[in-house]
Amino acid sequence: MRILAIETSCDETAIALLEATGTRQSPKFRVLSNIVSSQVKLHAKFGGVVPNLAKREHQKNLVPVLLQALKEAKLLRIKDKGQRTKNQKLLNSKLLILNSIFGHEPELLKNFLKAVSKLVVPKIDAIAVTYGPGLAPALWTGVNLARALSLLWKKPLIPVNHLEGHIYVNVLRGQTLTFPALVLIVSGGHTELVLMKGHLKYQIIGETLDDAAGEAFDKVARLLGLGYPGGPAVSTLAEKYKGQSLKSKSFSLQPSAFSLRLPRPMINSKDFNFSFSGLKTAVLYLLHEIKLSQKTRAAVAFEFQNSVVEVLVAKTMRAAQQFKVKTLALGGGVAANKLLRKKLAETTRYDLPNVNLLLPEISETTDNALMIATAVFFRKSKAARSPLGLRADPGARLA
Ligand code: KG4
Ligand code: ZN
């Protein structure tokens, strides 16, 4: 099965083409293309993602990204003149419905009509799209493009939960998910511990009560005067602390100068929930109390990162033990964090040597459409929706 996937839940305009064969137990994937057009630089000026700016950029970028993805996958074919006239007739007959689909995205409609009228229907079997969770104006652009393509190309439309993408990207490179499995999802919008008893069977056993882990990184980055997105900036600064590199043996969760000052929120609570907003406030107070220099700022970043990683790892390991899981997996933008990956790997090897740990490729941790396409392979038995009935759902939960 050949899948075209679209992802626009936040500030990346992403489209991928993936070929999937085999069974759910031993799937085989071949990446045909994976295009991500990032808006990070634009939003950085505002210190975070501005939903309506994201929508404007998605409208501008979606069609060019689609063409590039098809081209790289060698699936882009332009119609000859005769075919174009025929196609124009078809488009005209669908104009009313396309106008209603793109009612709130006139620029996307314009780009769609201009480019799609020239395309031969590509050899794909399904169109997948992120329907939620995410920012409503951003989600709708991808959902509407998917609805329009599905209608025009007569391809089934399969909605995918964004978090499901972050989970399933773990099996893209031939890894196997054995059950029960526990997935720690850590992104800009979510911090969730998800127990899976089988494919697509999710039970959220813990989640953040306030800020998500990535959000905490972003907010602390702002306090430290670093740019957006904050995660990579905070962790680069943390690595500079005392000039210690991650490769050095001495770099571990050892106490730093401020270890007594920053809390490890909820580390001993009996549940599997998290809370990071108090930690951010503690950083704020700490920054007011100390003499700020490059070195002390690096120490704060180091200590903050230690606190987040320590809490995430401790709770994840406790849940993995309690539910006797066979696989432990990590997903979401914060899964790019080197210390988190290192500590999770070390602790699993030491405490749960029989557990299979899956870590996504760093380049595939942040938002992309390949993860959405991968998830669809496991969803294929579920009925596809009629294109007109699909709606974006900004607050979608894993189900
Ligand atoms: O999954 P993602 O791309 O978007 C959402 O679905 O939210 O995650 C983005 C989040 C941002 O908060 C960003 O600061 C964080 O992931 N992030 C990191 C790192 N790289 C990205 N956090 C910590 N360390 C990193 N290296
Ligand atoms: Zn994400």
Side-chain angles (χ1 to χ4, degrees):
M1 126 189 249
R2 218 178 257 170
I3 303 149
L4 178 132
I6 303 172
E7 152 67 46
T8 61
S9 66
C10 192
D11 58 347
E12 326 279 2
T13 313
I15 298 190
L17 281 135
L18 181 72
E19 204 169 77
T21 51
T23 59
R24 276 169 152 202
Q25 278 66 38
S26 65
K28 285 204 171 56
F29 296 109
R30 190 162 76 91
V31 178
L32 305 179
S33 62
N34 177 28
I35 311 295
V36 181
S37 167
S38 177
Q39 307 169 5
V40 155
K41 276 195 191 136
L42 181 78
H43 296 287
K45 288 181 223 151
F46 302 93
V49 181
V50 184
N52 277 323
L53 262 188
K55 169 180 169 169
R56 191 190 76 188
E57 290 302 294
H58 287 314
Q59 286 200 70
K60 204 182 336 167
N61 297 333
L62 266 168
V63 171
V65 168
L66 170 70
L67 298 180
Q68 201 187 336
L70 287 169
K71 189 170 172 210
E72 277 192 19
K74 301 200 169 45
L75 292 171
L76 185 74
R77 279 182 51 218
I78 310 289
K79 292 189 161 172
D80 60 35
K81 248 192 179 156
Q83 286 172 313
R84 258 189 238 180
T85 321
K86 218 171 101 198
N87 192 73
Q88 196 55 48
K89 277 190 195 145
L90 177 72
L91 260 187
N92 288 344
S93 75
K94 298 257 190 280
L95 212 51
L96 211 62
I97 209 160
L98 288 172
N99 263 317
S100 91
I101 288 179
F102 292 117
H104 297 280
E105 291 101 7
E107 194 186 344
L108 184 53
L109 174 63
K110 214 170 76 196
N111 296 341
F112 180 88
L113 291 176
K114 212 162 99 191
V116 174
S117 62
K118 296 191 186 121
L119 298 187
V120 175
V121 178
K123 288 197 173 107
I124 57 169
D125 302 296
I127 296 170
V129 66
T130 304
Y131 70 94
L135 304 169
L139 283 167
W140 273 110
T141 62
V143 165
N144 286 338
L145 175 64
R147 292 162 81 205
L149 288 175
S150 160
L151 195 76
L152 207 65
W153 290 348
K154 299 190 174 64
K155 304 288 178 192
L157 178 61
I158 307 176
V160 178
N161 182 301
H162 179 79
L163 301 180
E164 194 163 50
H166 278 309
I167 294 174
Y168 275 99
V169 79
N170 275 293
V171 299
L172 183 60
R173 312 280 166 190
Q175 309 89 324
T176 38
L177 202 54
T178 42
F179 302 105
L182 181 70
V183 192
L184 172 66
I185 302 178
V186 268
S187 72
H190 294 84
T191 302
E192 288 183 3
L193 269 172
V194 184
L195 182 65
M196 291 176 73
K197 296 210 168 127
H199 283 298
L200 311 179
K201 291 195 179 116
Y202 311 108
Q203 188 192 344
I204 299 168
I205 58 165
E207 60 193 325
T208 182
L209 303 178
D210 40 59
D211 292 353
E215 190 181 354
F217 269 96
D218 294 336
K219 286 180 175 169
V220 165
R222 223 172 296 159
L223 295 178
L224 288 166
L226 305 168
Y228 172 85
V234 169
S235 89
T236 304
L237 183 61
E239 279 175 44
K240 287 193 182 132
Y241 178 58
K242 283 187 182 168
Q244 299 185 67
S245 93
L246 272 176
K247 285 182 201 85
S248 128
K249 268 197 181 145
S250 59
F251 189 97
S252 62
L253 297 183
Q254 65 191 354
S256 70
F258 304 108
S259 62
L260 296 176
R261 313 293 296 274
L262 289 183
R264 272 36 179 176
M266 296 184 73
I267 198 161
N268 292 318
S269 75
K270 291 219 162 60
D271 55 22
F272 298 112
N273 291 331
F274 303 93
S275 163
F276 294 109
S277 93
L279 179 58
K280 169 203 67 195
T281 312
V283 170
L284 177 70
Y285 288 143
L286 184 58
L287 288 173
H288 282 304
E289 283 170 30
I290 60 174
K291 196 163 168 269
L292 282 179
S293 67
Q294 184 61 11
K295 195 169 171 190
T296 55
R297 283 169 69 249
V300 173
F302 176 84
E303 179 56 19
F304 164 75
Q305 180 173 251
N306 278 354
S307 169
V308 174
V309 168
E310 212 174 293
V311 174
L312 289 174
V313 171
K315 291 224 147 161
T316 304
M317 296 316 285
R318 193 138 48 76
Q321 259 153 353
Q322 182 170 323
F323 293 97
K324 300 186 170 53
V325 304
K326 291 192 176 135
T327 301
L328 186 58
L330 186 62
V334 185
N337 187 277
K338 287 189 212 155
L339 185 71
L340 176 60
R341 297 169 77 94
K342 183 174 183 264
K343 284 293 140 193
L344 213 50
E346 274 177 14
T347 320
T348 306
R349 212 180 309 126
Y350 194 77
D351 291 343
L352 300 167
N354 296 322
V355 168
N356 176 28
L357 177 69
L358 304 182
L359 298 175
E361 297 277 314
I362 289 192
S363 60
E364 284 153 12
T365 53
T366 43
D367 293 348
N368 61 81
L370 211 47
M371 65 187 204
I372 303 304
T374 313
V376 162
F377 180 74
F378 297 88
R379 273 229 166 257
K380 69 183 170 189
S381 57
K382 299 238 169 156
R385 298 259 187 101
S386 102
L388 294 176
L390 179 62
R391 300 182 59 78
D393 181 1
R397 304 264 297 171
L398 277 172

